[in-house]
Amino acid sequence: MKLYCLSGHPTLPCNVLKFKSTTIMLDCGLDMTSTLNFLPLPLVQSPRLSKLPGWVLKDGNTFLDKELKECSGHVFVDSVPEFCLPETELLDLSTVDVILISNYHCMMALPYITEYTGFTGTVYATEPTVQIGRLLMEELVNFIERVPKAQSASLWKNKEVQRLLPAPLKDAVEVSTWRRCYTVPEVNAALSKIQLVGYSQKIELFGAVQVTPLSSGYALGSSNWIIQSHYEKVSYVSGSSLLTTHPQAMDQASLKNSDVLILTGLTQIPTANPDGMVGEFCSNLAMTVRNGGNVLVPCYPSGVIYDLLECLYQYIDSAGLSNVPFYFISPVANSSLEFSQIFAEWLCHNKQTKVYLPEPPFPHAELIQTNKLKHYPSIHGDFSNDFKQPCVVFTGHPSLRFGDVVHFMELWGKSSLNTVIFTEPDFSYLDALAPYQPLAMKCVYCPIDTRLNFIQVSKLLKEVQPLHVVCPEQYTQPPPTQSHRTDLMIDCQPPAMSYRRAEVLTLPFRRRYEKIEIMPELADSLVPLEIKPGISLATVSAVLHTKDNKHVLQPPPKPTQPPASKKRKRVSDDAPECKPLKPLLSGSIPMDQFVQTLEKHGFSDVKVEDTAKGHIVLLQEAETLIQIEEDSTHIICDNDETLRVKLRDLVLKFLQKF
Amino acid sequence: MDRECSQLLPSVCAVLADSRQLVADDTFLEKFLDWFKTLTETESSLLLLQENPCLTELITCVLKLKDPSSSTLSFILRLTGIFAASESCFQYLQQRELLISLFGEVGPLSSALWEEASVRSGWVQGVHSMVQHQSALHFLCNCGAIDVIFTLQGDPSLFVASAANQLLVHMLTFSLQSFQTKLVNIKDCDWPVCAQKLIVHIEESLKSNSASRIKQSLKLLTSMFGCCHDLWTEVLWSQLSERIVYLLEEKPVHAWHSLVDLFLSMARSPVFSCPECSLWTSVTCALEHLNPAQVGRLAVGVLKLQECPQAVRIQALSVLLQPMDCVLKAASHPLEYPGLLNRSVNDSATVETLLSCRSSCASLLCQTLAHLEELQYLTYLPVDLPYIPLLQSVVTILQFCIGLATPASCLGNKISRILIGCFRVQRSALDILGALSHRESHSVFMGSVSDILLAYLKSPDTSPTVLKKSFQATLKWLVRLSEAPSSRDHWQQTEQFIRDLFLVLQKRLCSPYWEVRDSALEFLTLLVKHLREKDGFRQVLFSSEVPKLTEDLLEDPESYVRASAVTAMGQLSLLTQLISKMPGIENGNGKEKSIVAQLQEILSTDSEGFPRRAVISVFIDWLKEGHPDVLKDTEQFVSSVLQAVNSDLDWEVKAGGLELAEVFSAQTLGRLGLAACPYAAVSSSATRSTHLSESLQIFCRVKLFEFLFGALCDFDRPVAQKACDILITLKAELCEESSLREGTRAGLSTEAHGIAWLEETLRRWSSCAEPCPRGNADGAGSQDPNGVLLVLRTVDLEGLHGSLNRSSDHIEKSPQSLLQDILATVGTLEDNEADCY
């Protein structure tokens, strides 16, 4: 059993598990942090960005000044943003049989895999995952395609050139494999390969293994996966949450008794408690708006935004913010808000019960009804007519490199009255803000990551007790910036096995058993013999028939009649020849009695020596040695077959035959 | 006993002696016993028995009953004990063989009812009451009762066991009370038999293997040493000390809790205070042998003692400091701190084991921190506390709790893992951090305390309760720093801290959690109250957004927050008004609503009691301190407040209104020179009369009397009482002899009237829009000074005062009423029985 690790990002995993005869890809996350190296794509012509000076090498060489721009001491690539794909060289991805998706954030690289690698298998995911994943992909494509960029930079990717660049460009990994965003047809083609599944549904893969999605409590339709055969169980835990937010609660019980538990997608901000961060978010929002400033919240169109809107729903009246407009701007804003209300069966219990009243499960419906929350596909069109300040704007993309958020950063960045509040933990807020420097607006970092923290992981592991834990290497040591925080790592026994990008792990357990069916007529013919109370044995002579990873024991073919004529024996091609079976032996030899028996049969001068594994009986006169061990007996005598047979028969007297 | 009771008593006794008369409610039996206890204290018990033979008959009858109820039997046991406390009475009962039948082996002891805990408890209490003379002791020794008491020490009922223990203590101290020991060896002394028996029992128990027997004896000794400070206790101790030390040396020490209690009880006794006393050897032994989690209470107790050998004190302090020392050393610090200890008491491995275990670490630290905090409040601490390292260790604990400390050892790693996010320890550490401010040191504060406080105040993960504690600690430090004489530079640094603090406060006032908003407002109120004299503070305050946010919180959906916002605004408004031309809060100028109007609106419209109560107490403060807006038109202000309070249903708001009325009336009278000041120049009677009528007119204009009389009729006793007190004071000021005489001359009735009449008058006042003809009390309106004065004179305020001060059940408390109740209850039961039949 092997695990191929194609992604180095612990919360955007992409691993391939080879288990029995199947090749299963676990998630295909897309690392978008590469886009932080690029200049933002402004929706409206930005004089500031277009006037940025080109980057010049120390020696005055200007050959890169068209590709690279400098802003407040940082260098950015002036080109269409590109993404860092999962490793494609480590194994032939066309051999992947199935892809299991755990949540909508972990499927963003799907088109690259399904459309470029010769993949012919099936993708399994829950319905909300697919629908919201589609929204995220469509938003991403829309954000990038609607700002066409004339030039495409590639010079800087040259290894020799890259060496000369300042950090972080210099240290960016595998830039040659970075790719532009996919297109809508590619998204559609990739999504068409998905087969929808429900929680706890058992899916057979080639008769060899069974895969089952379980609720993981992190996002709408998010799942952990169980991959099991009859005797082995691998759990894949990716992006799970034990907090009571909108999704259905995490199913922990089904993860019990795993041989291997692959653990990914823990919280990216283990020191920030989501409750405290929500408080921080609300306080900063209120303070800014009270002072007449605007609040910008860069976010994804689905996920935490639902919880934030719910908190604000309860908070705005108490904070005197009833008259402040909330805008949600995204090409998929409308679909996201509406989808959230129709996936009742995937929601937490409280929200499910609301549906029976009937009431919309999320209170943002009421915010929309009362005109407190307004949503628009983009800043163009209706929004510009309705726009009122001070206001709160939720919009993408959290990287601040594309999407409507770029416009608001340019618009509000100059005033210290305004605040940008980062709630998504995927991007470093300092890096995200780098191309907007110098910036007067206030920046607040309130990352809200509801995924498991290390305390919860340690409780979870105690509860489900897997034999082995496998996780990204980042989880096996304290965060580099807080090396004294030994509480911020996985602590389990035996220690977790760690992996990094482009590594292949041999998982630490061996398959020892395989289930085989016995045909009824064969079973009828067995004659069990009780060798210990409660334990019966029987010998079986049969033909093992294997097809579609299922093994069946069938009755052996009848022995062929001896040919009437004394013709030469013809080797049968149909069935293997069945030799008469020697009986099997069991039991142990009591040494005292054995020695007495030997003496009775005329062997004198019998000596018994104890060895580590059993005994050695020496018959000095006969120059013979009987080696008796737990599972074997050897009679060593010098070419005296009669003596050997005699001794053998004496040994056999003490053993049971069947 | 009065005649009525004597007449009722026989029938009551008959009822009690009748086994068929089951009494459902036996609380009256307790009252009955209380009554007899009082009676026997004032009258001769013997006479009481002789004059009321029904009592003796009652005891006899109950004894003869085949199947008495357990409550009746218990009652009889206790009643007999009360009588037998008098020696003559004891003889009287003894002659009739009643005592032996009740307390001897043949009595309830051998009956099935002994299974009832109430009977055993009655028996113990009866014996306890009885042991007031030697005859009783002899009787108990002879009838085998002492062995029964020993058995009862381990009774399954905790009440009985505790009572038995107390009884033994009483018997021991009583038997030795008159014993004049020469204080030689106890074995040579001729101690009373009873005492000897008890001491042997204690010794045997201490030597036994039974943990429960050991604990019982230790408890007994604890109570005994606690209440008896005679010299013989020292002799007793010298006999037992060896065994006690042996108990301490056992591993593990099972009875550590009881041993600590014993030592603390003994250490407080003057008998053992001498430094050479062997007690201190045992205490030293306990401090060494018990682990820090067990011995903390003893250590802090020792440090609180006035008389104690210095070496023991130092050792006790070391015990408390040891866990702190370990924590300090477990983290690496930018500066080298001296350790907390010169030498270690316990071996540090024990403390380290306790600290590295999840179950014991937090509790040991909380306990130690609480004990050390207790020491900070002592007026005099007889040992030197290493203040700076202690403070640093507290800061280190707080750093560990939020992951800011860098572990310097394996233990540090473990402590870090255990403490991160541990609210219990955070709360205890913040408590002591605040308490340590009394040894204010500016450099220490700026060095590490301010950083850790800001870290807690800023952190979004700080729980609301921990945040409250952080605010409290911050306040203590700031108040101390503001009071201490310090250099200009120092205070400027503090101001920088306050500036950072206000940024946090601003955010906390916007928190979505009401507890946080509430604590922030409470903190702000106290901060303004204590630091308002500081220029720099005022500047920071008014240049921040805090005043505006506070004003916004007057409309908070949560009533507690509104109440706190009202109180905070009260302070802020006073501060703004008291300093001239301060930017920030504007009051009435260019604003839609003045703060006075806003608060008045809350007073008259808020649906919750807390904000209204807060408003009234702010108004009282403003009136007392002379808030300019109030001074502008005090009469109008008071009148409108009283009007709002008058219709309020909350009694606390009303009581607040009355306090305001009291302050106002005192201020008015004082301003006009009528206050009862002994050194004031005596004004001529003509001037005085003018001033009187002037004040009266003011009171009438603000409808003070209408409000006070209304409150006097209020159903809530505290309101009526307070109104009555104020009216009595006003009456004394306003209704002089002369005016009384005047009233009589005018032919007006001086007959005292009660509440009904007053209510009728008030009704008439409220319906009477126009002032009625002068001098006619019945028809006069509330605005007419003479009419008001007449009512003030006419209402029987003194009588009302008396009846209001009596508790509501004063009539039902009399013994006669009790006896009647018993009879009545039985009567009702009979009726019910008949009904059921």
Side-chain angles (χ1 to χ4, degrees), chain B residues 501-512:
Chain B
L501 178 68
F502 269 83
L503 289 178
V504 176
L505 201 59
Q506 235 162 275
K507 202 158 65 182
R508 295 298 189 180
L509 288 174
C510 294
S511 165

Side-chain angles (χ1 to χ4, degrees), chain B residues 40-242:
Chain B
T40 51
E41 278 163 14
T42 50
E43 295 177 29
S44 152
S45 307
L46 185 62
L47 213 61
L48 206 62
L49 283 185
Q50 283 167 345
E51 283 175 358
N52 299 288
C54 60
L55 288 169
T56 321
E57 278 164 30
L58 170 65
I59 300 171
T60 323
C61 276
V62 171
L63 271 172
K64 279 183 190 158
L65 284 179
K66 268 189 184 166
D67 194 13
S69 76
S70 57
S71 57
T72 312
L73 187 57
S74 169
F75 165 74
I76 290 297
L77 285 162
R78 284 184 288 165
L79 184 68
T80 315
I82 291 172
F83 286 127
S86 132
E87 197 156 7
S88 54
C89 215
F90 177 86
Q91 306 299 354
Y92 175 86
L93 293 167
Q94 181 82 313
Q95 280 161 17
R96 282 159 184 74
E97 294 192 340
L98 291 177
L99 291 177
I100 193 77
S101 322
L102 276 170
F103 298 102
E105 282 170 356
V106 288
L109 258 173
S110 53
S111 81
L113 274 177
W114 190 250
E115 294 299 310
E116 295 282 336
S118 62
V119 174
R120 297 198 299 278
S121 167
W123 188 91
V124 174
Q125 289 182 45
V127 173
H128 199 131
S129 309
M130 190 197 302
V131 181
Q132 302 298 337
H133 43 80
Q134 291 298 327
S135 315
L137 272 185
H138 290 140
F139 163 74
L140 293 171
C141 285
N142 295 335
C143 74
I146 290 190
D147 289 331
V148 179
I149 305 170
F150 289 157
T151 320
L152 289 177
Q153 265 191 303
D155 199 88
S157 154
L158 288 179
F159 292 106
V160 176
S162 163
N165 224 15
Q166 286 305 321
L167 172 59
L168 288 174
V169 172
H170 176 64
M171 286 170 76
L172 188 61
T173 49
F174 181 77
S175 67
L176 288 166
Q177 213 168 33
S178 50
F179 179 67
Q180 295 298 318
T181 175
K182 294 280 176 285
L183 293 180
V184 267
N185 193 336
I186 192 161
K187 281 171 189 162
D188 302 334
C189 285
D190 188 17
W191 287 40
V193 182
C194 178
Q196 279 184 23
K197 239 181 178 171
L198 293 181
I199 291 165
V200 167
H201 168 72
I202 294 168
E203 280 178 326
E204 278 175 0
S205 303
L206 288 177
K207 281 179 191 158
S208 74
N209 289 325
S210 151
S212 64
R213 279 189 69 189
I214 293 173
K215 276 186 193 164
Q216 282 160 17
S217 289
L218 290 174
K219 267 188 198 165
L220 192 155
L221 290 172
T222 306
S223 310
M224 200 268 296
F225 287 121
C227 68
C228 178
H229 300 158
D230 291 343
L231 287 177
W232 59 263
T233 50
E234 197 184 357
V235 182
L236 177 61
W237 169 246
S238 65
Q239 187 165 335
L240 299 175
S241 60
E242 200 181 313

